[in-house]
Amino acid sequence: MPQIKALDGNWAVAEGVRLAGPKVVAAYPITPQTPIVERVADFIADGSLPGARYIAVESEHSALSAVVGAALVGTRVFTATAGAGLALMHEVVGVASGNRLPIVMAVANRALPSPWSLQVDHSDSMAERDMGWIQLYAENCQEALDLVLLGYRLAEEVRLPVMLCLDGFYVSHSTEVVSVPDAKEVAAFLPAYEPGPVCLDPDCPLTINQLTSAGTFTEIKYQHKQALDQALELLPYLGEEFGTHFGRPYAPIQAENCAGADVVLVSLGSSAGTARQVAKELREKGQQVGTLKVTSFRPFPKQAVQTALKDAKSVAVIDRSWGLGSEGPLSLEVKAALYTLPKRPLVTSYVAGLGGRDLSSDTLSKVVETTMELKSQGRSEFEPIWIDVKEGEVD
Amino acid sequence: MGAATEKLPLISCGITTCEGCAMELIGRVTLDVLGPKTIILTPPSCSAIITGYGRETGWRVPAFQSNLENIAAYCSGIRVALEVQGKDDVHVVAFAGDGGTVDIGLQALSGAIEREHKFIYICYDNEAYMNTGIQRSGATPLGAWTTTTPAGKKESKKDIVAMLRAQGIPYLATASAGYIDDFRRKVERAKDVDGPVYIHVLTPCATGWRFPPKETVNIARMAVDTGLWPLYEVVDGRLKITRKVKTLKPVTDYVQCQGRFRSIFADQIAQLEKGAEKLYQELLAEEEKA
């Protein structure tokens, strides 16, 4: 039987890790992720994660390196990080995915410096978006737990690492009611770990990760691309299967009331919940507002997004990252997904909620209002709108 | 009988290292001692030449190419995962150059030693970034020419051995490509250490030090005989000099036969000599005390 508990997002992730049963965990403390690895360290110390070892490394760079090493000899592994810690890992992020290691790493999203911020935006994980990992974004604490389990299953099916992103503080430190699955049910969904073909084993010596020529690099990267394509094909099925075990199905996107909508709010992470509430209230007042939450940002479910949005009149994409020099990455993806349609909805890109600023229902109502106004003029805005910037404080 | 039972070298023949390469020699001896139950890691460096290119590799043991700065962190993860699996008969070896050790790799190395993970770290010290074409590292000695110290290095060689000793490590040793039996014995000893091992081997580089390839071993010996590179080991804190030198040879003999020192100043030679003499006396005194 599942247990109902009051957990914050970090502890929910830790419960997911306990249930998934990695054998090696390596981590370095960084706000707002630290409670995840503190809790996991407790589980290892008190025997709740039998046979597992915790490596308290001296940096995030070494955290990811150590779990790569452990995965290379055939064990299930876990690590977690945030913000600048993820940026420090960057070089090894590519090693993990390029060697097709099914690592699960939680990222409690935190704005990258500078200026320093302890709080959420997606600038950290977005900086890693093209590194060949699967990136799943949790809306709430329940999803944070569930996506650990779904993440391991998907990672091990396609031999790719998974970055599980949860908004710093808004999810990581917010306490909610969470259903913690039964261990037996988890075992039925997530089988025991099977080492992959890329393995350091003296009985079958392989040289791994050596220098490659222009004659083979492209093909290796193409196989990597194919694995992400495969992940996108598989995710809906695994998400359904998750639902049959635990009663909560998952899909790469969650689209509601999009067909014929005057405005669809597209977002990632915790703001998706706020968007749904804003849309609900506006629909009650007679406005046609839909929502689209992207759970899988990598691989990006282009076709599903196109299908969901094709009959909307206008789309407002909210990026919780800077997109400096261009526009937010979510907006770029949505526009690209719609491009091949003969008749496209109007799309306006918004930047909001940076460095921990609340992406409130007021902000999202303003997004809807602005998009409606543009729609009434039959147009969208070409440049991104920084909707929550304090006009009086910038020159 | 015959070929099938013959012990195959664990590094294949025909590796494309430079003529007279001491690193290759050290790699061969290391695996000859440790045997096939060894996982070896190399950073992007001269030893990556053995790790190979494309579908070719020189290793007959499992090998992984690390990044330049994190070889010891990979070793940590590998060792812990092996322990979790109950595989306690496998050696985990980091085979890195001086740049990957004393400069960019120092943090990860220091961390893995502090965590007391069982692994063997062999630093082959050719005293510069040789694989990228002879650039100064922290291990480049005073007065040496490199492509980034065109007028000779103005600072002294970083004393990584002292730094790691200060951390407290169960087994630490210096070695030289000129005294292979001494090195072989140290690797043999390293096999049974239940914790981190650090062996720092001076590996003269004909290409970067500017001497004829046939002189590699002689120059490696001269470094020991002048006291610039004394051979010793520290077992659980107790120091033992493994090659005693009755009278230290003049440092001039050592620098004269290497093109990299062609513009070294006399006062720099004197400084090197003074430093060598002082170090050797300190080691003798410490050994005496123990």
Side-chain angles (χ1 to χ4, degrees), chain A residues 53 61 65 73 91 207 211, chain B residues 54 57 65 69-70 83 85:
Chain A
R53 291 270 302 274
H61 195 283
S65 305
V73 284
E91 186 191 13
T207 291
L211 206 60
Chain B
T57 181
Q65 173 101 340
E69 70 284 22
N70 61 352
E83 284 172 0
Q85 296 170 331

Side-chain angles (χ1 to χ4, degrees), chain A residues 49-376:
Chain A
L49 263 169
R53 291 270 302 274
Y54 188 98
I55 312 177
V57 285
E58 80 299 333
S59 73
E60 288 91 351
H61 195 283
S62 286
L64 189 54
S65 305
V67 296
V68 163
L72 280 168
V73 284
T75 53
R76 187 177 281 161
V77 298
F78 176 77
T79 186
T81 190
L86 180 56
L88 181 60
M89 285 178 175
H90 174 69
E91 186 191 13
V92 193
V93 165
V95 176
S97 62
N99 285 291
R100 307 287 302 277
L101 301 170
I103 294 161
V104 171
M105 171 162 73
V107 174
N109 285 108
R110 170 175 168 180
L112 287 177
S114 276
W116 281 103
S117 165
L118 292 166
Q119 299 183 58
V120 64
D121 66 37
H122 298 151
S123 52
D124 54 356
S125 53
M126 285 302 168
E128 306 300 331
R129 68 187 187 272
D130 294 336
M131 295 303 286
W133 285 52
I134 293 163
Q135 274 193 350
L136 305 176
Y137 286 76
E139 179 192 321
N140 52 41
C141 301
Q142 183 69 61
E143 288 195 4
L145 187 157
D146 291 349
L147 292 177
V148 173
L149 302 175
L150 185 56
Y152 273 110
R153 176 72 191 279
L154 181 60
E156 291 167 17
E157 292 275 359
V158 298
R159 314 302 305 182
L160 281 178
V162 168
M163 208 176 280
L164 157 60
C165 305
L166 57 154
D167 286 356
F169 296 100
Y170 290 103
V171 177
S172 73
H173 287 66
S174 294
T175 300
E176 293 177 333
V177 172
V178 175
S179 170
V180 180
D182 179 71
K184 271 193 192 144
E185 201 60 36
V186 171
F189 174 74
L190 179 66
Y193 188 74
E194 284 288 332
V198 176
C199 207
L200 291 169
D201 175 7
D203 293 331
C204 178
L206 273 184
T207 291
I208 299 168
N209 201 36
Q210 76 271 51
L211 206 60
T212 54
S213 72
T216 51
F217 190 92
T218 302
E219 285 65 33
I220 292 170
K221 264 2 246 184
Y222 190 76
Q223 288 178 18
H224 191 164
K225 169 219 159 0
Q226 286 177 313
L228 279 154
D229 294 346
Q230 200 192 340
L232 189 56
E233 265 177 52
L234 203 55
L235 183 53
Y237 297 102
L238 293 181
E240 279 302 313
E241 193 187 325
F242 189 93
T244 62
H245 284 278
F246 307 106
R248 295 179 298 278
Y250 282 86
I253 60 166
Q254 189 182 327
E256 289 173 21
N257 308 302
C258 293
D262 288 324
V263 183
V264 176
L265 291 167
V266 181
S267 59
L268 282 172
S270 65
S271 65
T274 317
R276 246 193 333 274
Q277 183 61 25
V278 167
K280 184 172 170 263
E281 286 167 11
L282 291 173
R283 271 200 314 280
E284 282 164 6
K285 290 181 191 160
Q287 292 196 54
Q288 296 306 307
V289 182
T291 53
L292 191 150
K293 171 174 85 174
V294 176
T295 298
S296 171
F297 186 74
R298 283 291 181 272
F300 191 76
K302 231 187 230 186
Q303 186 57 60
V305 168
Q306 187 187 78
T307 306
L309 296 179
K310 68 178 168 41
D311 298 320
K313 296 191 180 90
S314 69
V315 174
V317 187
I318 300 109
D319 267 287
R320 197 165 208 161
S321 52
W322 322 334
L324 292 176
S326 175
E327 57 191 85
L330 183 57
S331 163
L332 292 172
E333 294 297 344
V334 170
K335 287 181 178 176
L338 297 177
Y339 187 74
T340 55
L341 287 173
K343 191 173 169 296
R344 293 184 287 271
L346 298 164
V347 184
T348 297
S349 160
Y350 295 88
V351 170
L354 303 184
R357 181 162 297 175
D358 190 12
L359 231 166
S360 66
S361 52
D362 284 353
T363 303
L364 292 174
S365 299
K366 202 171 155 195
V367 166
V368 173
E369 202 181 305
T370 309
T371 314
M372 288 291 271
E373 176 62 27
L374 288 163
K375 189 190 143 270
S376 70

Side-chain angles (χ1 to χ4, degrees), chain B residues 21-38:
Chain B
C21 178
M23 177 278 296
E24 185 186 334
L25 174 66
I26 291 302
R28 286 183 185 282
V29 173
T30 300
L31 281 190
D32 193 47
V33 176
L34 297 179
K37 288 271 190 186
T38 301

